[in-house]
Structure formats: structure tokens, C-alpha cells
């Protein structure tokens, strides 16, 4: 089955540690995205990538980093510089270009204590 | 960025049509309206999108007003499994010919009651 896989579903870390969230897609999509969701809120864009080896900052990129070395993979690192890292993180992909829906994974819930 | 306005919550009886409104008065001529829904602790699920014509698929219908300043998502026969938060989103083109950025608001929490 084609889709987007995020792992793990739940992640716990101590404050001050970097943590990397995995996102893999087998939809052959060019574009990939990372969103963050806080309780009762909508989604906010962290980073996006339109093509391999290229990525751009979204609205709330501070404290995060990404890489796009392979088309199917777009890992997100939450660094110790992120002041409020506890959140629900969603990865998405799309064919790219205009008029193409995003397909989302089922998210990773990160808790930092 | 074009913004959308949705009621925070709505109720619907099972088996009846659910009509979810959305205002997007600042939408530009080439911006699409997308609808997604999110069930608790899952990723958003794409429902439908349109530019200016009404659209229908197996999940729902999308009615866009002629001036494109508002739209309505219609779930023709709501079931309990349709209980979710529904997001109306206007696509924002990031770069010429590039990917879109979807700006999510808080959405409408639809509760389908038995």
C-alpha cells in the first residue's frame, strides 16, 4: 500500500537533547512537508521540500532542522534550541506543483520533559 | 495569505446532511479551496478541493459561491464516523510552479449524534 509512514508514534525525550523524527513515503511524491500541531490549534508549517537536496523554512522553523537526501525520506530534527518542543508533528507529501492535495502521515507525538 | 473563517463547532444528526460553511473573502483568483478533516490523534485526511466550479466525489460535495468568497462542504448522509475537525483551507502558492503551502486555521468540530 502506498502512503506516508511516521515513526515512532510516541516519543519521549529529556530537555536539552536533540531528537529526530522519521518520515518516509512511497508515493513517489516530489514535495514533502513538516507541520506542528498544538492542542486545540491548527497546523503550522515548519519546513518544506519541493525536490531532493532542497528545502525551505516555513513559518516556525526556528529550533528545527531537516534534510532531504532521498526522495522518499524527509527527517525532522528537533534541536535543544526549540523552546517548546512538546507537540504533535505531522509529515505530508504531494506530487508538487499547483492543485495537488497533501497526503499526511499519522503523526508523531513528542513529549519533552 | 488568504484566510478562512469557520464556525468552531457544529452538530448534526446521523443520517442527515451536514453542511459546513467557510468564508474566504480574500481569496485570489488562482487559489484553490481545500477541505480536510482530522480525527483525534490522526493525520488530516484530504476530502475535496475546487477552484470555482462545484465538485463532488465519493466523500462529499463542495459548493463554491460565484464570487468565490465562501464555500460549503456537504456530507450528504452523516455517520458517527464523520465526527471530526473539518478544516477549510486556501492554498497559497509558495513559488512559481512550485508547491503550495496550506495554511490551517482551527477548523470546525463536527459532532454527529445518534
Amino acid at each position: 500500500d502506498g502512503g506516508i509512514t511516521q515513526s515512532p508514534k510516541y516519543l519521549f525525550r529529556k530537555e536539552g537533547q536533540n531528537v529526530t523524527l522519521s518520515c518516509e513515503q512511497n508515493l513517489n511524491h516530489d514535495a514533502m512537508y513538516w507541520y506542528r500541531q498544538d492542542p486545540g490549534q491548527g497546523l503550522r508549517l515548519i519546513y518544506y521540500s519541493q525536490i531532493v537536496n532542497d528545502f525551505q523554512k516555513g513559518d516556525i522553523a526556528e529550533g528545527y532542522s531537516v534534510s532531504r537526501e532521498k526522495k522518499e525520506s524527509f527527517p525532522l530534527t528537533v534541536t535543544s534550541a526549540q523552546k517548546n518542543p512538546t507537540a504533535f508533528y505531522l509529515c505530508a507529501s504531494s506530487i508538487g506543483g499547483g492543485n495537488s492535495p497533501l497526503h499526511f502521515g499519522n503523526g508523531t507525538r513528542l513529549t519533552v520533559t | 495569505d488568504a484566510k478562512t473563517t469557520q464556525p468552531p463547532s457544529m452538530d448534526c444528526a446521523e443520517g442527515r446532511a451536514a453542511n459546513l460553511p467557510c468564508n474566504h473573502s480574500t481569496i485570489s483568483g488562482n487559489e484553490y479551496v481545500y477541505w480536510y478533516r482530522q480525527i483525534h490523534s490522526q493525520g488530516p485526511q484530504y476530502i475535496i478541493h475546487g477552484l470555482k466550479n462545484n465538485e463532488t466525489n465519493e466523500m462529499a460535495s463542495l459548493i463554491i459561491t460565484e464570487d468565490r468568497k465562501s464555500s460549503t462542504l456537504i456530507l450528504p448522509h452523516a455517520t458517527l464516523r464523520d465526527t471530526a475537525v473539518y478544516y477549510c483551507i486556501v492554498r497559497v502558492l509558495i513559488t512559481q510552479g512550485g508547491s503550495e503551502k496550506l495554511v490551517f486555521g482551527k477548523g470546525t468540530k463536527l459532532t454527529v449524534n445518534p
Side-chain angles (χ1 to χ4, degrees):
Chain A
D1 286 343
I4 300 177
T5 301
Q6 291 187 244
S7 61
K9 185 154 182 69
Y10 298 96
L11 193 53
F12 298 88
R13 280 293 184 272
K14 295 288 187 185
E15 193 174 327
Q17 294 179 335
N18 292 353
V19 59
T20 297
L21 282 60
S22 169
C23 178
E24 303 279 331
Q25 55 99 359
N26 60 5
L27 299 167
N28 200 34
H29 285 171
D30 285 316
M32 297 188 74
Y33 309 78
W34 274 105
Y35 284 87
R36 167 186 172 136
Q37 187 174 34
D38 294 286
Q41 304 295 315
L43 283 67
R44 292 183 290 169
L45 183 65
I46 305 172
Y47 267 98
Y48 63 96
S49 168
Q50 297 180 11
I51 199 167
V52 175
N53 293 322
D54 181 68
F55 50 83
Q56 305 294 330
K57 293 181 179 180
D59 299 319
I60 55 164
E62 186 175 349
Y64 299 98
S65 66
V66 294
S67 63
R68 186 84 188 277
E69 298 176 0
K70 298 185 295 183
K71 187 176 186 177
E72 59 270 24
S73 179
F74 191 41
L76 173 75
T77 297
V78 184
T79 75
S80 56
Q82 168 50 233
K83 292 183 173 55
N84 297 296
T86 294
F88 188 45
Y89 290 88
L90 287 156
C91 178
S93 71
S94 73
I95 293 172
N99 189 21
S100 56
L102 266 60
H103 298 261
F104 284 86
N106 276 327
T108 291
R109 189 166 299 278
L110 173 66
T111 302
V112 177
T113 58
Chain B
D1 292 353
K3 295 181 180 177
T4 61
T5 304
Q6 299 177 256
S9 63
M10 292 183 65
D11 285 274
C12 177
E14 189 178 17
R16 304 298 292 269
N19 298 285
L20 290 85
C22 179
N23 287 321
H24 31 79
S25 58
T26 59
I27 193 169
S28 298
N30 63 346
E31 290 180 328
Y32 284 78
V33 178
Y34 282 81
W35 283 84
Y36 284 77
R37 72 180 181 185
Q38 186 177 26
I39 297 169
H40 184 62
S41 294
Q42 295 183 20
Q45 176 190 22
Y46 165 76
I47 301 173
I48 199 168
H49 74 284
L51 183 63
K52 52 185 177 182
N53 296 322
N54 298 338
E55 302 287 345
T56 296
N57 63 20
E58 65 278 5
M59 290 182 68
S61 294
L62 174 61
I63 308 298
I64 302 174
T65 58
E66 192 168 341
D67 63 8
R68 300 188 71 241
K69 293 185 177 182
S70 65
S71 61
T72 300
L73 179 75
I74 301 172
L75 307 179
H77 306 286
T79 71
L80 299 179
R81 286 176 294 184
D82 291 322
T83 293
V85 177
Y86 287 76
Y87 295 100
C88 167
I89 300 144
V90 173
R91 177 180 71 88
V92 177
L93 191 63
I94 298 174
T95 59
Q96 186 76 21
S99 303
E100 71 276 15
K101 177 172 75 169
L102 298 185
V103 180
F104 285 77
K106 295 184 181 180
T108 295
K109 170 116 177 78
L110 175 69
T111 302
V112 180
N113 300 305

